[in-house]
Amino acid sequence: MTKRGAGVAFIAISAFLISSKYISASIFGSGVLSWDKSLYEAMVYYVGDTLSNFSLLAFIIGLAYIVWGEYEDWKSKNNNN
């Protein structure tokens, strides 16, 4: 797998983790009879920030891999000229 592919994979993992946070909150509150904004925000707060933190970390790693791959490609093209 190339560095760009790894970067895209990490960004996909980041998207999966951030969506898992909100899906977990929805599943947690699936037995609630009436929904409102403050109740859902409380459920998201109950899920915590761990998924958000790991999502941000995976996004930064993915972005770094993409930039690294692009830099190596740019460097190899400039060295050939």
Side-chain angles (χ1 to χ4, degrees), residues 26-48:
S26 297
I27 291 171
F28 173 66
S30 63
V32 177
L33 297 177
S34 65
W35 283 80
D36 64 350
K37 182 179 177 182
S38 63
L39 179 63
Y40 186 70
E41 287 174 353
M43 286 183 257
V44 170
Y45 178 76
Y46 182 76
V47 170

Side-chain angles (χ1 to χ4, degrees), residues 6-80:
V8 170
F10 271 108
I11 290 174
I13 290 169
S14 172
F16 175 75
L17 289 174
I18 200 69
S19 64
S20 294
K21 176 180 180 176
Y22 295 104
I23 291 171
S24 297
S26 297
I27 291 171
F28 173 66
S30 63
V32 177
L33 297 177
S34 65
W35 283 80
D36 64 350
K37 182 179 177 182
S38 63
L39 179 63
Y40 186 70
E41 287 174 353
M43 286 183 257
V44 170
Y45 178 76
Y46 182 76
V47 170
D49 291 333
T50 305
L51 290 172
S52 295
N53 294 338
F54 284 133
S55 175
L56 181 62
L57 180 65
F59 180 77
I60 291 170
I61 291 171
L63 193 61
Y65 264 105
I66 290 173
V67 169
W68 187 13
E70 290 295 324
Y71 173 74
E72 284 185 349
D73 187 42
W74 175 80
K75 188 176 174 182
S76 68
K77 285 181 182 178
N78 284 341
N79 286 340
N80 290 337

